[in-house]
């Protein structure tokens, strides 16, 4: 079932910013999906096709999950993914739209419960006054990092919806990384671009770039590029970012060298030429 299977109400007009268009059934389908009454079966040309859980996952559907079991399962998975968390970060991790599946009072109690079972350990985060907890099973990994072992080595571009930066306040608190999706901002007010992608380099957020893909000519253009104030760009970092851009080209379905810097962006957003990523021509 999809929203196209319903007729739009007669006489109702929509605006470009109407999230659900003219069909109330589209919003109803989204609500039923968010509460688990429907499951996303597949996509057809970006449109979501829904089905009922008892048909797609009959074994899981027959099993009744207690509320306390659901809460602890979500809390444990969120804590494991975040590594270290405060109550607001944990509450935000599993949500649909603006609705958290673990409201903050429930998230707080869940963290306390996980601490009693030694799944979570209370910790302090420098510069953050709120109480925090760490996943106990990640303590050995923290010890290895302190011994300079197992540090991240990859460089990649993050989606605006990546769970590392999904909760914007967390990024600001932990890394002083102020990120907003500016496609909803009028062009004159944008700072970093229409759809800027954060750059994750060896475990650090070092910059952001705004890509635009021309499907007809199979060419990716970097419309703007900015290093973070705390970044220390060098030749090796430039090569790593260039490789990440090439990987984005492949993801879009073109050749890895089919990308260029936008006119006027050779200095990467006004920075000095010795701080630029090497651009390529088609």
């Amino acid at each position: 079932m999809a929203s196209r299977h319903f007729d739009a109400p007669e006489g109702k007009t929509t605006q470009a910013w109407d999230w659900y268009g003219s069909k109330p059934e589209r919003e109803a389908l989204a609500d039923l999906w968010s509460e688990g009454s429907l499951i996303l079966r597949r996509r057809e040309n970006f449109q979501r096709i829904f089905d009922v859980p008892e048909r797609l996952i009959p074994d899981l559907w027959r099993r009744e999950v207690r509320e306390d079991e659901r809460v602890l399962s979500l809390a444990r998975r969120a804590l494991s993914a975040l590594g270290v968390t405060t109550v607001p970060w944990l509450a935000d991790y599993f949500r649909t739209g603006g609705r958290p599946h673990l409201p903050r009072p429930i998230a707080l109690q869940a963290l306390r419960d996980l601490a009693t079972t030694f799944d979570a350990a209370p910790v302090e985060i420098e510069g953050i006054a709120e109480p925090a907890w760490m996943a106990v099973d990640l303590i050995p990994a923290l010890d290895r990092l302190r011994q300079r072992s197992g540090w991240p080595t990859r460089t990649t571009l993050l989606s605006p919806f990546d769970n590392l930066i999904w909760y914007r306040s967390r990024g600001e608190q932990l890394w002083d990384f102020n990120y907003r999706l500016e496609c909803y901002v009028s062009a004159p007010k944008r700072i970093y671009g229409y759809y800027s992608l954060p750059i994750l380099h060896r475990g650090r957020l070092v910059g952001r770039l705004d890509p635009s893909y021309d499907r007809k000519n199979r060419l990716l253009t970097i419309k703007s590029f900015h290093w973070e104030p705390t970044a220390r760009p060098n030749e090796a970092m430039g090569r790593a970012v260039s490789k990440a851009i090439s990987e984005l080209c492949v993801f879009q379905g073109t050749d890895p060298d089919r990308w260029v810097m936008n006119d006027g962006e050779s200095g990467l957003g006004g920075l000095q030429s010795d701080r630029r990523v090497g651009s390529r021509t088609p």
Side-chain angles (χ1 to χ4, degrees):
M1 177 186 297
S3 61
R4 69 168 182 262
H5 296 128
F6 300 91
D7 295 328
E10 293 184 6
K12 184 175 181 179
T13 58
T14 59
Q15 304 295 331
W17 53 82
D18 287 341
W19 190 262
Y20 292 104
S22 62
K23 298 180 180 180
E25 292 87 357
R26 182 174 295 167
E27 183 173 4
L29 288 170
D31 287 342
L32 290 170
W33 169 66
S34 68
E35 72 178 24
S37 296
L38 292 177
I39 290 182
L40 183 62
R41 186 182 188 95
R42 64 181 183 278
R43 287 181 181 268
E44 293 179 0
N45 298 324
F46 297 101
Q47 187 171 50
R48 293 181 294 186
I49 309 298
F50 299 98
D51 207 333
V52 291
E54 53 263 42
R55 184 152 47 213
L56 290 183
I57 49 172
D59 294 338
L60 181 60
W61 178 254
R62 294 190 189 100
R63 178 177 177 267
E64 183 177 351
V65 179
R66 301 192 315 272
E67 177 62 14
D68 61 330
E69 184 182 4
R70 180 191 73 88
V71 167
L72 286 179
S73 176
L74 291 178
R76 189 177 286 108
R77 292 179 64 183
L79 177 61
S80 178
L82 293 168
V84 63
T85 189
T86 64
V87 170
W89 303 352
L90 189 89
D92 184 83
Y93 192 80
F94 285 112
R95 65 178 167 94
T96 304
R99 294 169 295 187
H101 294 278
L102 290 179
R104 292 187 182 184
I106 294 177
L108 173 59
Q109 186 58 50
L111 284 168
R112 289 172 174 170
D113 291 343
L114 290 176
T116 62
T117 58
F118 303 102
D119 292 305
V123 296
E124 293 183 1
I125 304 176
E126 183 178 356
I128 298 178
E130 299 172 80
W133 290 261
M134 179 179 178
V136 169
D137 59 357
L138 293 179
I139 291 178
L142 179 60
D143 291 338
R144 289 193 296 272
L145 291 174
R146 285 171 171 165
Q147 296 169 10
R148 310 298 296 179
S149 173
W151 279 74
T153 59
R154 278 207 64 192
T155 301
T156 191
L157 307 177
L158 299 180
S159 159
F161 309 104
D162 191 280
N163 58 9
L164 182 68
I165 56 169
W166 172 253
Y167 189 43
R168 311 307 189 203
S169 296
R170 177 173 176 261
E172 294 174 10
Q173 287 180 282
L174 279 178
W175 309 297
D176 198 24
F177 187 74
N178 189 311
Y179 180 73
R180 297 293 182 271
L181 187 57
E182 296 182 311
C183 60
Y184 300 110
V185 179
S186 59
K189 295 182 179 180
R190 291 174 192 151
I191 300 174
Y192 299 107
Y194 179 83
Y195 202 80
S196 66
L197 306 181
I199 303 169
L200 182 65
H201 173 71
R202 293 179 174 267
R204 297 181 182 275
L205 294 163
V206 299
R208 59 193 90 191
L209 57 85
D210 183 32
S212 178
Y213 184 58
D214 182 344
R215 296 186 182 279
K216 180 179 180 181
N217 295 307
R218 300 177 65 246
L219 178 66
L220 183 75
T221 300
I222 307 302
K223 300 180 69 174
S224 70
F225 188 103
H226 298 81
W227 293 113
E228 288 301 296
T230 55
R232 297 181 179 179
N234 53 37
E235 186 176 349
M237 188 183 295
R239 288 196 303 268
V241 175
S242 294
K243 183 175 181 291
I245 296 174
S246 295
E247 291 172 350
L248 178 61
C249 287
V250 174
F251 177 79
Q252 292 288 353
T254 190
D255 298 330
D257 59 352
R258 292 284 295 174
W259 67 271
V260 295
M261 300 301 299
N262 192 33
D263 292 341
E265 286 295 329
S266 60
L268 299 183
L271 300 180
Q272 298 298 317
S273 59
D274 61 348
R275 304 184 74 188
R276 60 178 295 194
V277 173
S279 61
R280 304 182 182 185
T281 56

